[in-house]
Amino acid sequence: QIIEAGESEYDHVMQVEHDAFASNEEPRLVAALLRDPTAQPSLSLLAYEGDQPVGHVLFTKAKLLGAPHNVSSAILAPLAVVPEFQRRGIGRALIEHGARLLAQSGVELLFVLGHPGYYPRCGFETATPHGLLAPYHIVPEEAWMVRALTSNILGSVRGKVACASCLDKPEYWRE
């Protein structure tokens, strides 16, 4: 079951983030993004197995600087699945559910900095050949990816992505 996470699910979101990454860095980032007005609108989705929270994904607002017109964009960060529930399709289900909701709300481009072996299976492709640059230089380049949520958008716009203020730090832009 996937639900939109609100304030009443905050503790479950933090639990999933901590369990998935076994650190406090991702929970702190998620908490900051949820409070950051420059990240809004955001979409927070929580996956449950029965009554146990097992996965979370956060999508936040992004801007495409240099585009000839306003292009509604979002960044996927982070995606978290509790280790004992990984490899069951939960991460992909969260991404697909979020992509559908974002597309319905008018978002045209969805960006992610992630593993080049995983995200292409979820419809992402390398962004830089399309002229869509990350906020910071990415190595390897293939880790900066985009997924078109509307037809004919890729190739029609170019620019550099601007992210939420609390995400705009070089340490968040390494794969």
PDB file of all heavy atoms in Angstrom, residues 25-37:
ATOM      1  N   GLU A  25      22.037  11.095   8.333  1.00  0.00           N
ATOM      2  CA  GLU A  25      22.151  12.100   7.277  1.00  0.00           C
ATOM      3  C   GLU A  25      20.882  12.202   6.433  1.00  0.00           C
ATOM      4  O   GLU A  25      20.363  13.297   6.216  1.00  0.00           O
ATOM      5  CB  GLU A  25      23.345  11.788   6.375  1.00  0.00           C
ATOM      6  CG  GLU A  25      23.574  12.847   5.314  1.00  0.00           C
ATOM      7  CD  GLU A  25      24.809  12.572   4.488  1.00  0.00           C
ATOM      8  OE1 GLU A  25      25.693  11.819   4.928  1.00  0.00           O
ATOM      9  OE2 GLU A  25      24.875  13.122   3.388  1.00  0.00           O
ATOM     10  N   GLU A  26      20.365  11.075   5.950  1.00  0.00           N
ATOM     11  CA  GLU A  26      19.170  11.116   5.104  1.00  0.00           C
ATOM     12  C   GLU A  26      17.941  11.584   5.873  1.00  0.00           C
ATOM     13  O   GLU A  26      17.181  12.408   5.357  1.00  0.00           O
ATOM     14  CB  GLU A  26      18.933   9.769   4.421  1.00  0.00           C
ATOM     15  CG  GLU A  26      19.860   9.511   3.257  1.00  0.00           C
ATOM     16  CD  GLU A  26      21.262   9.073   3.670  1.00  0.00           C
ATOM     17  OE1 GLU A  26      21.492   8.796   4.887  1.00  0.00           O
ATOM     18  OE2 GLU A  26      22.139   9.003   2.799  1.00  0.00           O
ATOM     19  N   PRO A  27      17.701  11.089   7.106  1.00  0.00           N
ATOM     20  CA  PRO A  27      16.556  11.631   7.845  1.00  0.00           C
ATOM     21  C   PRO A  27      16.652  13.141   8.052  1.00  0.00           C
ATOM     22  O   PRO A  27      15.653  13.855   7.943  1.00  0.00           O
ATOM     23  CB  PRO A  27      16.594  10.883   9.178  1.00  0.00           C
ATOM     24  CG  PRO A  27      17.290   9.606   8.874  1.00  0.00           C
ATOM     25  CD  PRO A  27      18.302   9.951   7.812  1.00  0.00           C
ATOM     26  N   ARG A  28      17.863  13.658   8.325  1.00  0.00           N
ATOM     27  CA  ARG A  28      18.030  15.106   8.487  1.00  0.00           C
ATOM     28  C   ARG A  28      17.718  15.838   7.186  1.00  0.00           C
ATOM     29  O   ARG A  28      17.080  16.891   7.203  1.00  0.00           O
ATOM     30  CB  ARG A  28      19.448  15.435   8.950  1.00  0.00           C
ATOM     31  CG  ARG A  28      19.654  15.281  10.432  1.00  0.00           C
ATOM     32  CD  ARG A  28      20.922  15.977  10.912  1.00  0.00           C
ATOM     33  NE  ARG A  28      22.127  15.449  10.308  1.00  0.00           N
ATOM     34  CZ  ARG A  28      22.890  14.501  10.831  1.00  0.00           C
ATOM     35  NH1 ARG A  28      22.567  13.966  11.990  1.00  0.00           N
ATOM     36  NH2 ARG A  28      23.973  14.088  10.210  1.00  0.00           N
ATOM     37  N   LEU A  29      18.175  15.291   6.056  1.00  0.00           N
ATOM     38  CA  LEU A  29      17.899  15.908   4.762  1.00  0.00           C
ATOM     39  C   LEU A  29      16.400  15.917   4.478  1.00  0.00           C
ATOM     40  O   LEU A  29      15.845  16.931   4.049  1.00  0.00           O
ATOM     41  CB  LEU A  29      18.650  15.192   3.635  1.00  0.00           C
ATOM     42  CG  LEU A  29      18.340  15.685   2.220  1.00  0.00           C
ATOM     43  CD1 LEU A  29      18.683  17.164   2.052  1.00  0.00           C
ATOM     44  CD2 LEU A  29      19.065  14.826   1.186  1.00  0.00           C
ATOM     45  N   VAL A  30      15.730  14.798   4.700  1.00  0.00           N
ATOM     46  CA  VAL A  30      14.282  14.725   4.461  1.00  0.00           C
ATOM     47  C   VAL A  30      13.552  15.732   5.340  1.00  0.00           C
ATOM     48  O   VAL A  30      12.677  16.464   4.867  1.00  0.00           O
ATOM     49  CB  VAL A  30      13.753  13.293   4.683  1.00  0.00           C
ATOM     50  CG1 VAL A  30      12.228  13.266   4.723  1.00  0.00           C
ATOM     51  CG2 VAL A  30      14.274  12.368   3.590  1.00  0.00           C
ATOM     52  N   ALA A  31      13.907  15.798   6.613  1.00  0.00           N
ATOM     53  CA  ALA A  31      13.267  16.757   7.520  1.00  0.00           C
ATOM     54  C   ALA A  31      13.480  18.184   7.020  1.00  0.00           C
ATOM     55  O   ALA A  31      12.544  18.997   7.013  1.00  0.00           O
ATOM     56  CB  ALA A  31      13.817  16.598   8.933  1.00  0.00           C
ATOM     57  N   ALA A  32      14.692  18.490   6.577  1.00  0.00           N
ATOM     58  CA  ALA A  32      14.982  19.837   6.069  1.00  0.00           C
ATOM     59  C   ALA A  32      14.197  20.128   4.791  1.00  0.00           C
ATOM     60  O   ALA A  32      13.641  21.221   4.630  1.00  0.00           O
ATOM     61  CB  ALA A  32      16.484  19.982   5.811  1.00  0.00           C
ATOM     62  N   LEU A  33      14.130  19.160   3.883  1.00  0.00           N
ATOM     63  CA  LEU A  33      13.385  19.364   2.634  1.00  0.00           C
ATOM     64  C   LEU A  33      11.891  19.569   2.895  1.00  0.00           C
ATOM     65  O   LEU A  33      11.250  20.392   2.234  1.00  0.00           O
ATOM     66  CB  LEU A  33      13.593  18.183   1.688  1.00  0.00           C
ATOM     67  CG  LEU A  33      14.937  18.145   0.969  1.00  0.00           C
ATOM     68  CD1 LEU A  33      15.171  16.771   0.343  1.00  0.00           C
ATOM     69  CD2 LEU A  33      15.019  19.242  -0.083  1.00  0.00           C
ATOM     70  N   LEU A  34      11.344  18.844   3.837  1.00  0.00           N
ATOM     71  CA  LEU A  34       9.916  18.991   4.139  1.00  0.00           C
ATOM     72  C   LEU A  34       9.598  20.361   4.728  1.00  0.00           C
ATOM     73  O   LEU A  34       8.476  20.848   4.583  1.00  0.00           O
ATOM     74  CB  LEU A  34       9.456  17.874   5.080  1.00  0.00           C
ATOM     75  CG  LEU A  34       9.409  16.479   4.468  1.00  0.00           C
ATOM     76  CD1 LEU A  34       9.144  15.428   5.536  1.00  0.00           C
ATOM     77  CD2 LEU A  34       8.381  16.398   3.344  1.00  0.00           C
ATOM     78  N   ARG A  35      10.582  21.001   5.360  1.00  0.00           N
ATOM     79  CA  ARG A  35      10.386  22.333   5.948  1.00  0.00           C
ATOM     80  C   ARG A  35      10.780  23.463   4.994  1.00  0.00           C
ATOM     81  O   ARG A  35      10.405  24.608   5.220  1.00  0.00           O
ATOM     82  CB  ARG A  35      11.229  22.468   7.222  1.00  0.00           C
ATOM     83  CG  ARG A  35      10.745  21.693   8.399  1.00  0.00           C
ATOM     84  CD  ARG A  35      11.527  22.065   9.667  1.00  0.00           C
ATOM     85  NE  ARG A  35      12.966  22.073   9.476  1.00  0.00           N
ATOM     86  CZ  ARG A  35      13.786  21.068   9.754  1.00  0.00           C
ATOM     87  NH1 ARG A  35      13.297  19.954  10.252  1.00  0.00           N
ATOM     88  NH2 ARG A  35      15.080  21.174   9.555  1.00  0.00           N
ATOM     89  N   ASP A  36      11.567  23.167   3.977  1.00  0.00           N
ATOM     90  CA  ASP A  36      12.143  24.182   3.099  1.00  0.00           C
ATOM     91  C   ASP A  36      11.087  24.713   2.119  1.00  0.00           C
ATOM     92  O   ASP A  36      10.591  23.963   1.279  1.00  0.00           O
ATOM     93  CB  ASP A  36      13.314  23.570   2.326  1.00  0.00           C
ATOM     94  CG  ASP A  36      14.090  24.565   1.492  1.00  0.00           C
ATOM     95  OD1 ASP A  36      13.563  25.652   1.184  1.00  0.00           O
ATOM     96  OD2 ASP A  36      15.238  24.238   1.127  1.00  0.00           O
ATOM     97  N   PRO A  37      10.732  26.006   2.199  1.00  0.00           N
ATOM     98  CA  PRO A  37       9.720  26.543   1.274  1.00  0.00           C
ATOM     99  C   PRO A  37      10.160  26.480  -0.186  1.00  0.00           C
ATOM    100  O   PRO A  37       9.315  26.398  -1.074  1.00  0.00           O
ATOM    101  CB  PRO A  37       9.517  27.984   1.739  1.00  0.00           C
ATOM    102  CG  PRO A  37      10.604  28.282   2.707  1.00  0.00           C
ATOM    103  CD  PRO A  37      11.202  26.992   3.156  1.00  0.00           C
TER     104      PRO A  37
END
